[in-house]
Structures are given as C-alpha cells and as structure tokens.
Amino acid sequence: MSFFNGLYLKCYLIYVRVKQDRIKEILEKISNVSIAVYGDFCLDAYWLMDPDGSEVSVETGIQAEAVEKHLYSPGGAGNIVANLAALRPAAIKVIGVVGNDIHGRELFSQLQALGADTSSLIIQNEDFDTYTYTKKIYGEKEYPRIDFGLKNRRSKNTDAELLKHIQTALENDDALIFNQQVTGSITNKGFIEETNKLFDRFSHKIVVLDSRHFNASFRNVYRKVNEIEIAVLNGLDVNPQDYISIPDVKKYGTRVYEQYEKPVFVTCGARGMVCIDASGTSEIPGIQLLKKLDTVGAGDTTISALTLCLAAGIPSAESAAFANLAAAVTVQKLLTTGTASGEEIIELSKDVDYNYQPELAVDLRRANYLPDSEIELCDSDVVLKTGNIKHALFDHDGTISTLRQGWETIMESVMIESILGDHYETADHRLYQQVRKQVLGYIDMSTGIQTILQMEALVGMVDEFNFVPKKEILDKFGYKKLYNDALMEVVSKRLEKLESGQLNIDDFTLKGSLDFLKAMKKEGVKLYLASGTDKQDVIYESERLGYAGLFNGCIYGSENDIKKYSKKMIINRIIKENDLKGNELVVFGDGPVEIRECIKSGGIAIGVASDEVRRFGLNEEKRTRLIKSGAGIIISDFSQTGKLLDLLFNK
C-alpha cells in the first residue's frame, strides 16, 4: 500500500518479553550460578505494640510501653540475599559489615537461614552498630522509626578486609552485586579507588552496581539505575518526582553506556525497563496489574534476578525481561518486603498483561495517522498483518452500542456506597476521595471483564476498608444485583424511548457502526459479538437495536461462571475451531481486556476510543488505556468505513 511510507515506520517498536518455556530454561541455568553480594546489610525490625501498654515506672513515674510481638527480617543488601535465595542459585556469598551487637547476631542468623555463606561478613567491634530500622506499630498506624547505625564509621582495617573478600569473589564467583544504600556507609574515599582497581583488573567479570550515592564513582560495572538516576548521571538537576520520558531515558542511557562501555539497565516503574548494551537499545514493557501494589523492595528483586540471569549467560535484554517479571511478582505482596520464586514467576508468565507505549498513550501529539484520516496507527507493524482477515470479534457496550453509556458512573456509585456502608453520608472529604480514587482506578483497569469479576473485586475492597461488619458483606452475586438493578433502570428508560419512537437506533449506536458491520459481512468475514454483560441481556439489546442477525458467528456474554466464559476463552476458541493464523482475526473493542487478549493471540487489535455521549469523536482517556493495552490501530468511531476497510483488506 502506497501510503505506508517511512513516516509510519518511526512508531515501530521492538519489545522484549520472555515466555514460559524459556523461563524454565533460565531457572535451570540459574541453579548453577555462584554469586556474591557486597552491600549495606541491615536488619528490619517490626515492634507490634500492645495498646494496653505496660506499668508506670516506679523509678520515673512514666508510663511504659509494651511490645506484644517483635519480628525481624534482613533489609538493605540482606533483602537482595533473600531475593537471590528465592531463585535457588548454587551459592550465595555475603560481603559486608555488622556490629558486635544483638542485631548483628540476629542478622547473621537470618542470612544463614537463607543458605548464604556469611564467612565474609565482618564484625567491627568499635564505632559500628548494625544498621537496624525499627518500626513501632500500633494497630495499623506506624510511629516514627528508630534507627541504629547512623554514626557508623568503617575502619581502614575493615575496608582492607572487605577488599580482600571482594577480590576473592571476583576470582571465584560468577557475578558480584555491589549494592550501596545507606548514607555515609562508605566513609573512606580510598575504598572506592581500591575497589575500582579490582574492577579494572577483573573487567571481564560481571559486576552489577546499584548505588544511591556513588553511581558515577565506579568503573567497569554494569549499572542498574532508575529514570531519575540516569538523568543525574547525565548532569541534570532533577527531583525524585520529576517525569523522565522513555525517549529521554534511552538517550541518557546510551550516553552512559558510551561513557563506561558496560550494559546499562534503567527501571521506569510501571513503564517497564530500558536496556542498553553492545547490541543496541531494548525496551521491556511494564506489566499491568489489577491488584493493589506495594513497590517496596522491587528494586532488590530486579537486581537479584537480573544479575543471576547475566551470570547464567542470558543476554542483557532477556535478563531484564526476566527481572521485570520477578519484580511484578514482588509488588503484589502487600505489607512485606517480598521475594519472587521461580514458580511464582512461571505462574505470572502464563497470563501476563503488558503496558505498551506509555509515552504515546498519554500524549496525543505523538499520534501518527493514516493519510487524510483520523485512523491512528499506533504500531506500523500492524500493516504487515492486514489483508487476510477472515473473522472479526466485536465488543458490545461502547464499541457498537451506547445503551449502557454511563455504566462506569453507576458502578462507581454502587462500589463507593458498598465500601463505606453506614459511613457513606458521614465520611469526610478525604476519606471519600481515598475510596473513590481506588474505585475509579479499578474500574479503569478492569473495563471489559465480566461484571461478576468486578463484583468479586468489590467484595475484597469492602473487606479491606473494613467499614462494613464482616457478617454484612454481600457476596459477588449480591453486589452484582445491586449494580444491575441500578444500571437496568437507566437502560429500560432508554429502550422505552426507542420503542415509543422518541429516539431511534442511531441514537444508541456508534456512528457508522451498522454500515461497517454490513460491509465486513459483505467482505466474507464471519462476525462475533462478545460482552462482559450477561448473555441474555446482550442478545436482547442487540436484537432491539436491529443488528443481532449480522453476527453469523455467535453472540457471547457472561454466564456468571468464569470457568465457562471469558473473552480470552472466546478468542482462543475462534482461533482453534477455525484453525486461524493470528492475522486472520481482528478484534474491535473499547476496553483493555479484549485488546490484551487479541495481542496475546497474535491477532489485529483495533481500539475503539469512543465518546459514548456524542456517539462520535475521540475519547482521550479510552485512547490512553487502549494503547497501553496494545492496540495497533485506534479509531474513535466507524464514520471512515471506506478507509478502514482499505486498510484491513489492503485495497
């Protein structure tokens, strides 16, 4: 096609992912790796306080506090060891310093319990307390932390011993993680230069640096940094909250790679990772997760998994993709500094949803359009797939029908009232907005899945916020009835206006949608309709709007049983029953679910970023989430049927 010129190739992307079978191979290779960790080994202490307190001191007259339960776990570089241990390498050696104190002895015990070799963990008897971070917790409230070791000064003798252990690790182990987190943990400047001499001498070895304060001070190391740190390494004056675009991350990362000539890995939170090495620049997409997340410790998981892969001989970009999966496991573990096991990574990889093209998704100025049209080409690779379409699956609400326009607002109201219960009328503004933010975030992420699954999530949110007594919490079917009753009241009124002639079919369908369906059928394409709405409602509403007969494939809807119906199951069934290649199926939808599942199957995903109120024109919020879900093409409606057909059938 003549209009697919070089202008559109600039949006072509190469994303690096790792599949389930390959993960198993990587884990097998990791089992043979011997790894060492130098760093600031800390102890995290959790004191769960007794609200009843203790006695009043006879000596001072001051009310004493009481600890009901106390827990301890390795922190800092110790958490890296925990993450390494979860992936079961052949050996783990720790290189660091603790004080001659009860915290140091506990840390020794914890590290040994993880299977680590602690023979290179030095005890400094003077001027050094084991770094310990004690959190006092009353119920769910955390009080100011109590820190130990802030005035530590490592002796020159300690540094000399550390350097000997680092050299031994470079001689004998497959890789070394060099982790520095605590302010002032390196107190003798000569230590850095002596370490650099070792890194120069063993420049062929894998040393991965993760340093909060000395990123620019080391040579001959692989660097694991975040987007702010890579900007700082380029001399920029930035704040931790600043936004660094992915193109800028790639630019800054390339400069650092060219300066040090060692691979650079830049973590970008939900946007994924960027890897720069001798083979070029690779982008690892972020992972979309529908759960509440806790990002504490994600960096430790990343550097652990990354370094093990590198030591096992896995290419840099693939190592980063594996580490990305591992971190996605960890962030789903709440109120703990979690780890990711091989089994958990494999389980996640079975059905992972990626966050595609985050920069394009949030910036309409970056859009590329089919000439003389409003059809956006998000990934020009999609044009290589067109021309062979035989089957087409359409989402219903928001893609063809607007009968249920406003369902999000109704669901928002039902969810907020259900969560707050009797506190709904009296909740202050801050609490109300806190609940509303979580509800809106979930609705946005879950658009397109079955309503029963959304109500299942609501049960969890009601329980989590704990305003409703446990015995009064409804099950998912009870909450679904509340939502359906509220929604169907609106839908019924609209259907009454349709029946009475006050409104017509065009008032409840997206512009051009019926003509497009007819044109697709004329092209010999088999049409399917699939919705997260109950099946009987989908059939009834499509019949009332006059297009049910166009779907000669089938009309699908929720059956209140996730084992019997999901859009993933339908897409896979269509492909299997018709022995399709991926590019023989096109999926149209305004929700992330159908777009994600289409991408996984290798099909052509067309996002319908519809304005359901006007029934034509672009909804920018929908565009954002559809591109992030992987849509290769974005349309706002079906008004440009001719150009869209030319694109799909290579006319």
Coordinates of all heavy atoms in Angstrom, one line a residue, residues 57-102:
S57 N 6.4 3.3 85.5 CA 7.7 3.0 86.1 C 7.7 3.6 87.5 O 7.4 4.8 87.7 CB 8.8 3.7 85.3 OG 10.0 3.6 86.0
V58 N 8.1 2.7 88.4 CA 8.2 3.2 89.8 C 9.3 4.2 90.0 O 9.2 5.2 90.7 CB 8.5 2.0 90.7 CG1 8.8 2.4 92.2 CG2 7.4 1.0 90.7
E59 N 10.4 4.0 89.2 CA 11.6 4.9 89.3 C 11.3 6.3 88.7 O 11.7 7.3 89.3 CB 12.8 4.3 88.7 CG 13.3 3.1 89.3 CD 12.6 1.8 89.0 OE1 11.7 1.9 88.1 OE2 12.8 0.8 89.6
T60 N 10.6 6.3 87.6 CA 10.4 7.6 86.8 C 9.0 8.2 86.9 O 8.8 9.3 86.6 CB 10.9 7.5 85.4 OG1 9.9 6.5 84.7 CG2 12.3 6.9 85.3
G61 N 8.1 7.3 87.1 CA 6.7 7.7 87.1 C 6.1 7.9 85.7 O 5.0 8.4 85.4
I62 N 6.9 7.4 84.7 CA 6.5 7.5 83.3 C 5.8 6.2 82.8 O 6.3 5.1 83.2 CB 7.7 7.8 82.4 CG1 8.4 9.1 82.8 CG2 7.3 7.7 80.9 CD1 9.7 9.4 82.1
Q63 N 4.7 6.3 82.1 CA 4.0 5.2 81.6 C 4.9 4.4 80.6 O 5.4 5.0 79.6 CB 2.8 5.6 80.8 CG 2.0 4.5 80.1 CD 1.3 3.5 81.1 OE1 0.6 4.0 82.0 NE2 1.6 2.3 80.9
A64 N 5.1 3.1 80.8 CA 5.9 2.3 79.9 C 5.1 1.8 78.8 O 3.9 1.6 78.9 CB 6.6 1.2 80.7
E65 N 5.7 1.5 77.7 CA 5.1 0.9 76.5 C 5.4 -0.6 76.6 O 6.4 -1.0 77.1 CB 5.5 1.5 75.2 CG 5.2 3.0 75.1 CD 5.7 3.5 73.8 OE1 6.9 3.8 73.7 OE2 4.8 3.7 72.8
A66 N 4.5 -1.4 75.9 CA 4.7 -2.8 75.8 C 4.7 -3.3 74.4 O 3.9 -2.9 73.6 CB 3.6 -3.5 76.6
V67 N 5.7 -4.2 74.1 CA 5.8 -4.8 72.8 C 5.0 -6.2 72.9 O 5.4 -7.1 73.7 CB 7.2 -5.0 72.4 CG1 7.3 -5.8 71.0 CG2 7.9 -3.7 72.3
E68 N 4.0 -6.3 72.1 CA 3.2 -7.5 72.1 C 3.9 -8.6 71.3 O 3.9 -9.8 71.6 CB 1.8 -7.3 71.5 CG 0.9 -8.4 71.6 CD -0.5 -8.1 71.1 OE1 -1.0 -6.9 71.4 OE2 -1.2 -8.9 70.5
K69 N 4.5 -8.2 70.2 CA 5.2 -9.2 69.3 C 6.3 -8.4 68.5 O 6.1 -7.3 68.1 CB 4.2 -9.8 68.3 CG 4.7 -10.9 67.5 CD 3.6 -11.5 66.6 CE 4.1 -12.8 65.9 NZ 3.0 -13.4 65.0
H70 N 7.5 -9.1 68.3 CA 8.5 -8.4 67.5 C 9.0 -9.4 66.5 O 9.2 -10.6 66.7 CB 9.6 -7.9 68.4 CG 10.2 -8.9 69.4 ND1 11.4 -9.5 69.2 CD2 9.7 -9.5 70.5 CE1 11.7 -10.3 70.2 NE2 10.6 -10.3 71.0
L71 N 9.2 -8.8 65.2 CA 9.6 -9.6 64.1 C 10.8 -9.0 63.4 O 11.0 -7.7 63.5 CB 8.5 -9.7 63.0 CG 7.1 -10.1 63.6 CD1 6.0 -9.9 62.5 CD2 7.2 -11.6 63.9
Y72 N 11.7 -9.8 62.8 CA 12.9 -9.3 62.2 C 13.1 -9.9 60.8 O 12.8 -11.1 60.6 CB 14.1 -9.6 63.1 CG 14.0 -9.0 64.5 CD1 13.3 -9.7 65.5 CD2 14.4 -7.7 64.8 CE1 13.2 -9.2 66.8 CE2 14.2 -7.2 66.0 CZ 13.6 -7.9 67.0 OH 13.4 -7.3 68.3
S73 N 13.6 -9.2 59.9 CA 14.0 -9.7 58.6 C 15.2 -8.9 58.0 O 15.4 -7.8 58.3 CB 12.8 -9.6 57.6 OG 12.4 -8.2 57.4
P74 N 15.9 -9.6 57.1 CA 17.1 -8.9 56.5 C 16.6 -7.7 55.6 O 15.6 -7.8 54.9 CB 17.7 -10.0 55.7 CG 17.2 -11.3 56.2 CD 15.8 -11.0 56.7
G75 N 17.3 -6.6 55.8 CA 17.0 -5.4 54.9 C 18.2 -5.0 54.2 O 19.3 -5.5 54.3
G76 N 18.1 -3.9 53.4 CA 19.2 -3.5 52.5 C 19.7 -4.6 51.7 O 19.0 -5.3 51.0
A77 N 21.0 -4.8 51.7 CA 21.6 -5.9 50.9 C 21.1 -7.2 51.4 O 21.2 -8.2 50.6 CB 23.1 -5.8 51.0
G78 N 20.7 -7.3 52.6 CA 20.1 -8.6 53.1 C 18.9 -9.0 52.4 O 18.6 -10.2 52.2
N79 N 18.1 -8.0 51.9 CA 16.9 -8.3 51.1 C 17.3 -8.8 49.8 O 16.6 -9.6 49.2 CB 16.0 -7.1 51.0 CG 14.6 -7.5 50.4 OD1 14.0 -8.4 50.9 ND2 14.2 -6.8 49.4
I80 N 18.4 -8.3 49.2 CA 18.9 -8.9 48.0 C 19.2 -10.3 48.1 O 18.9 -11.2 47.3 CB 20.1 -8.1 47.5 CG1 19.7 -6.7 47.1 CG2 20.8 -8.8 46.3 CD1 20.8 -5.8 46.7
V81 N 19.8 -10.7 49.2 CA 20.2 -12.1 49.5 C 18.9 -12.9 49.6 O 18.8 -14.0 49.0 CB 21.0 -12.2 50.8 CG1 21.1 -13.7 51.2 CG2 22.3 -11.6 50.7
A82 N 17.8 -12.4 50.2 CA 16.6 -13.1 50.3 C 16.0 -13.3 48.9 O 15.5 -14.4 48.6 CB 15.6 -12.3 51.2
N83 N 16.1 -12.3 48.0 CA 15.6 -12.5 46.7 C 16.4 -13.5 45.9 O 15.9 -14.2 45.1 CB 15.6 -11.1 46.0 CG 14.3 -10.3 46.3 OD1 13.3 -10.5 45.7 ND2 14.4 -9.5 47.3
L84 N 17.7 -13.5 46.1 CA 18.6 -14.4 45.4 C 18.2 -15.8 45.8 O 18.1 -16.8 45.0 CB 20.1 -14.1 45.7 CG 20.7 -12.9 45.1 CD1 22.0 -12.6 45.7 CD2 20.8 -13.0 43.6
A85 N 18.1 -16.0 47.1 CA 17.8 -17.3 47.7 C 16.5 -17.9 47.1 O 16.4 -19.1 46.9 CB 17.7 -17.3 49.2
A86 N 15.5 -17.0 46.9 CA 14.2 -17.5 46.3 C 14.3 -18.1 44.9 O 13.5 -18.9 44.5 CB 13.2 -16.3 46.3
L87 N 15.4 -17.7 44.2 CA 15.6 -18.2 42.9 C 16.6 -19.4 42.8 O 17.0 -19.9 41.8 CB 16.1 -17.1 41.9 CG 15.0 -16.0 41.7 CD1 15.6 -14.8 40.9 CD2 13.9 -16.6 40.9
R88 N 17.1 -19.8 44.0 CA 17.9 -21.0 44.2 C 19.1 -21.1 43.3 O 19.3 -22.1 42.6 CB 17.0 -22.2 44.0 CG 15.8 -22.3 44.9 CD 14.8 -23.4 44.5 NE 13.6 -23.3 45.2 CZ 12.5 -24.0 44.9 NH1 12.5 -24.8 43.9 NH2 11.4 -23.8 45.6
P89 N 20.1 -20.2 43.5 CA 21.3 -20.4 42.8 C 22.2 -21.4 43.5 O 21.8 -21.9 44.6 CB 22.0 -19.0 42.9 CG 21.4 -18.4 44.1 CD 20.0 -18.9 44.2
A90 N 23.3 -21.8 42.9 CA 24.2 -22.8 43.6 C 24.8 -22.3 44.9 O 24.9 -23.1 45.8 CB 25.3 -23.2 42.6
A91 N 25.2 -21.0 44.9 CA 25.8 -20.5 46.1 C 25.6 -19.0 46.2 O 25.6 -18.3 45.2 CB 27.3 -20.8 46.2
I92 N 25.5 -18.5 47.5 CA 25.4 -17.0 47.7 C 26.4 -16.7 48.8 O 26.4 -17.3 49.9 CB 24.0 -16.6 48.2 CG1 22.9 -17.1 47.2 CG2 23.9 -15.1 48.4 CD1 21.5 -16.9 47.8
K93 N 27.3 -15.7 48.5 CA 28.2 -15.2 49.5 C 27.9 -13.8 49.8 O 27.6 -13.0 49.0 CB 29.7 -15.3 48.9 CG 30.7 -14.7 49.9 CD 32.1 -14.7 49.2 CE 32.6 -16.2 49.0 NZ 34.0 -16.2 48.5
V94 N 28.0 -13.4 51.1 CA 27.7 -12.1 51.6 C 29.0 -11.4 52.0 O 29.8 -12.0 52.7 CB 26.6 -12.0 52.7 CG1 25.3 -12.6 52.2 CG2 27.1 -12.7 53.9
I95 N 29.2 -10.1 51.6 CA 30.4 -9.4 51.9 C 29.9 -8.0 52.5 O 29.3 -7.2 51.8 CB 31.3 -9.1 50.7 CG1 31.6 -10.4 50.0 CG2 32.5 -8.3 51.1 CD1 32.3 -10.3 48.7
G96 N 30.2 -7.8 53.8 CA 29.7 -6.6 54.4 C 30.2 -6.5 55.8 O 31.1 -7.3 56.3
V97 N 29.5 -5.6 56.6 CA 29.9 -5.3 58.0 C 28.7 -5.3 58.9 O 27.7 -4.7 58.5 CB 30.7 -4.0 58.1 CG1 31.3 -3.8 59.4 CG2 31.7 -3.8 57.0
V98 N 28.9 -5.8 60.1 CA 27.9 -5.7 61.1 C 28.6 -5.3 62.4 O 29.8 -5.4 62.5 CB 27.0 -6.9 61.3 CG1 26.2 -7.3 60.1 CG2 27.9 -8.1 61.8
G99 N 27.8 -4.8 63.4 CA 28.4 -4.5 64.7 C 28.4 -5.8 65.6 O 27.7 -6.8 65.3
N100 N 29.1 -5.7 66.7 CA 29.2 -6.7 67.7 C 28.0 -6.5 68.6 O 28.2 -6.0 69.8 CB 30.5 -6.7 68.4 CG 30.7 -7.9 69.3 OD1 29.8 -8.8 69.3 ND2 31.7 -8.0 70.1
D101 N 26.8 -6.8 68.2 CA 25.6 -6.5 68.9 C 24.5 -7.5 68.7 O 24.7 -8.3 67.8 CB 25.1 -5.0 68.6 CG 25.0 -4.8 67.1 OD1 24.4 -5.6 66.4 OD2 25.5 -3.7 66.7
I102 N 23.4 -7.4 69.4 CA 22.4 -8.4 69.3 C 21.7 -8.3 67.9 O 21.3 -9.3 67.3 CB 21.3 -8.1 70.4 CG1 20.3 -9.3 70.4 CG2 20.6 -6.8 70.2 CD1 19.4 -9.3 71.6

